[in-house]
Amino acid sequence: MGAFPAGFLFGTAQSAHQVEGGNVNSDWWAWEHAPGTPCVEPSGDACDVYHRYRDDIALMAELGLNALRFGIEWARIEPEEGEFSRAALDHYRRVLVSCREHGLAPIVTFHHFTLPRWLQARGGFLFEGFAALFERYCERAAGALGDLIAYACTINEPEGLGEGGFVLGVNPPGRTGDIDGMWRAAGNVLEAHRRGGAAIRAQAHVPTGVTLALPDLQYEDGATPGDHPVELNARVSERFFELARDDDFVGVQTYTRNRFGPEGPRGPHVEWGKGLAHETAQTTQLGQEVYPQALGNTIRRAWQRTGGTPILVTESGIATAFDEKRVGYVEAAMREVLACLAAGIEVRSYLYWSFLDNFEWSLGYGPTFGMVAVDRQTFARHPKPSAHWFGEVARARALPDPQ
Ligand code: BGC
């Protein structure tokens, strides 16, 4: 079915909080240690990427990858309101330099779920000054780092921020059933994307966009759309598609499909806050249906809804204890990308979530998304066969011939 075009980016994605370790000034750290939250364990040292990024980047390059999407941490860069840390920014410059030295295009996420504690104390995503504070943070960070960045992502999965914190209660501040709070948070985050994105472009002149959580919603005959969390999520995505018409790219992040029948949700649906699911041949450790075809559907949707904004696949992945299942999933997802390319859709990357087995938010270290296992005592990295398989695909710029 053809090869990936020259310049196509093959890499992995990760966020700061989930891998760096010791992110003590963030609201998530506080949340992990507060009584009564659904968190099963704290993030602690995570994968110690804060100190081990060079070795990780060298390993990515050795495997054959040519891109890395990683997050910079607002709580480190602006530890108190208006107080910026030169040392934290210097740290991220070193990470960027390391990417460049190893031939990896750095794709930088400015916000991935976590907030500095001082900002959560002011109301977090509901604080009326949220967008202005995000704009200033983007301006400072892009000013210091922008010359080394290949692509800038403003906000990761903005749809889930209001939903997780105000409807499902699985993220700080842990409210449930507050749909009004969810929409107010969504409004602030939309504005933050608009202002933050403009600040990054003004400082750094790099292609900038938002990375959206796009599950593939499938309605069967007789089904009527309702207020299932994943449907609320999709309504927020629609508003971001509008903004993304003016962006340089849109990030597509898809893991599964969600089916609805006349009686409501059908088939596997994740129950957030309920802990690790039992993995079967058809489902993942998160209880999601194994359905890599979802990626093609969401790429086509994003392309159509944004009126042809170029697409980066910024996350695609599977939580599984079985690495051969991961290879099967990634191969099928990448075939979807090839089909979209053949149909004339401009897709520029496939970034697997995630390089390392890492901190999966309230589920802790139970789910294993990584192509590389991490020894939780020594932090030693152990690449799984999927890491080598993916590196070979990247080198060949093509998938193996179907057996
Ligand atoms: C998020 C990641 C998360 C991953 C797997 C995405 O929604 O951006 O932070 O770890 O999915 O659940």
Side-chain angles (χ1 to χ4, degrees), residues 15 18 112-113 156-157 253 255 272 286 315 353 358 360-361 369:
S15 80
Q18 291 174 273
H112 195 129
F113 295 180
N156 182 69
E157 299 191 342
Q253 317 201 148
Y255 289 82
W272 296 109
L286 263 55
E315 286 182 28
W353 183 278
N358 64 46
E360 180 57 21
W361 306 109
F369 276 95

Side-chain angles (χ1 to χ4, degrees), residues 72 74 108-112 134 137-138 141-142 149 152-155 200:
I72 56 173
W74 192 351
V108 174
T109 311
F110 281 61
H111 180 271
H112 195 129
F134 184 67
Y137 154 69
C138 287
I149 295 175
C153 311
T154 53
I155 299 176
I200 294 169

Side-chain angles (χ1 to χ4, degrees), residues 66-186:
N66 65 2
L68 167 63
R69 171 173 174 240
F70 70 94
I72 56 173
E73 182 57 56
W74 192 351
R76 295 188 196 272
I77 293 174
E78 190 178 358
E80 287 296 340
E81 186 173 348
E83 208 175 298
F84 288 85
S85 164
R86 185 182 297 263
L89 288 166
D90 282 351
H91 168 80
Y92 290 118
R93 264 198 92 75
R94 289 191 290 272
V95 180
L96 287 161
V97 166
S98 189
C99 285
R100 293 293 185 184
E101 283 172 357
H102 288 87
L104 299 185
I107 301 166
V108 174
T109 311
F110 281 61
H111 180 271
H112 195 129
F113 295 180
T114 52
L115 293 175
R117 286 191 198 215
W118 59 262
L119 180 47
Q120 184 58 257
R122 298 197 66 176
F125 303 116
L126 290 190
F127 175 50
E128 59 196 4
F130 179 77
L133 290 173
F134 184 67
E135 179 183 28
R136 181 177 63 179
Y137 154 69
C138 287
E139 191 181 298
R140 292 295 285 260
L145 307 172
D147 55 318
L148 293 169
I149 295 175
Y151 285 92
C153 311
T154 53
I155 299 176
N156 182 69
E157 299 191 342
E159 305 99 325
L161 298 175
E163 188 190 55
F166 300 93
V167 180
L168 300 173
V170 294
N171 297 353
R175 274 196 229 157
T176 50
D178 182 356
I179 304 261
D180 174 60
M182 182 204 101
W183 280 111
R184 282 194 292 134

Side-chain angles (χ1 to χ4, degrees), residues 66-401:
N66 65 2
L68 167 63
R69 171 173 174 240
F70 70 94
I72 56 173
E73 182 57 56
W74 192 351
R76 295 188 196 272
I77 293 174
E78 190 178 358
E80 287 296 340
E81 186 173 348
E83 208 175 298
F84 288 85
S85 164
R86 185 182 297 263
L89 288 166
D90 282 351
H91 168 80
Y92 290 118
R93 264 198 92 75
R94 289 191 290 272
V95 180
L96 287 161
V97 166
S98 189
C99 285
R100 293 293 185 184
E101 283 172 357
H102 288 87
L104 299 185
I107 301 166
V108 174
T109 311
F110 281 61
H111 180 271
H112 195 129
F113 295 180
T114 52
L115 293 175
R117 286 191 198 215
W118 59 262
L119 180 47
Q120 184 58 257
R122 298 197 66 176
F125 303 116
L126 290 190
F127 175 50
E128 59 196 4
F130 179 77
L133 290 173
F134 184 67
E135 179 183 28
R136 181 177 63 179
Y137 154 69
C138 287
E139 191 181 298
R140 292 295 285 260
L145 307 172
D147 55 318
L148 293 169
I149 295 175
Y151 285 92
C153 311
T154 53
I155 299 176
N156 182 69
E157 299 191 342
E159 305 99 325
L161 298 175
E163 188 190 55
F166 300 93
V167 180
L168 300 173
V170 294
N171 297 353
R175 274 196 229 157
T176 50
D178 182 356
I179 304 261
D180 174 60
M182 182 204 101
W183 280 111
R184 282 194 292 134
N188 281 344
V189 171
L190 276 155
E191 185 58 15
H193 165 64
R194 203 191 333 254
R195 290 173 68 164
I200 294 169
R201 282 188 200 95
Q203 290 293 321
H205 311 290
V206 290
T208 302
V210 64
T211 61
L212 300 177
L214 301 174
D216 179 14
L217 302 193
Q218 298 186 1
Y219 293 93
E220 294 166 14
D221 283 350
T224 40
D227 280 344
H228 187 277
V230 79
E231 296 178 286
L232 291 176
N233 206 313
R235 267 173 241 154
V236 182
S237 307
E238 289 299 325
R239 298 186 53 190
F240 275 94
F241 282 147
E242 282 303 312
L243 288 189
R245 287 175 174 264
D246 297 326
D247 285 338
D248 306 300
F249 71 91
V250 60
V252 169
Q253 317 201 148
T254 300
Y255 289 82
T256 190
R257 70 171 166 179
N258 287 82
R259 292 160 57 208
F260 294 88
E263 69 298 332
R266 183 170 279 188
H269 276 252
V270 178
E271 295 201 60
W272 296 109
K274 294 280 164 55
L276 211 60
H278 170 68
E279 179 176 9
T280 68
Q282 292 80 32
T283 61
T284 72
Q285 293 167 318
L286 263 55
Q288 292 167 321
E289 183 185 355
V290 179
Y291 188 71
Q293 295 77 7
L295 184 59
N297 293 337
T298 56
I299 289 174
R300 285 184 283 273
R301 189 165 117 233
W303 179 251
Q304 187 243 332
R305 295 285 210 279
T306 59
T309 298
I311 287 170
L312 298 189
V313 173
T314 38
E315 286 182 28
S316 161
I318 179 170
T320 178
F322 306 100
D323 197 51
E324 63 282 11
K325 191 169 162 188
R326 183 176 349 272
V327 171
Y329 180 94
V330 177
E331 180 164 357
M334 294 185 85
R335 288 204 191 283
E336 294 291 327
V337 173
L338 283 174
C340 290
L341 286 164
I345 300 178
E346 191 178 342
V347 188
R348 298 186 185 166
S349 71
Y350 179 88
L351 306 179
Y352 178 76
W353 183 278
S354 185
F355 189 59
L356 303 173
D357 287 339
N358 64 46
F359 181 71
E360 180 57 21
W361 306 109
S362 62
L363 294 174
Y365 292 98
T368 47
F369 276 95
M371 286 184 168
V372 176
V374 177
D375 183 315
R376 299 265 0 111
Q377 302 305 317
T378 64
F379 303 112
R381 282 29 177 171
H382 299 289
K384 304 175 192 180
S386 57
H388 297 287
W389 177 89
F390 187 43
E392 283 310 311
V393 170
R395 282 184 207 281
R397 265 202 289 115
L399 290 168
D401 287 334

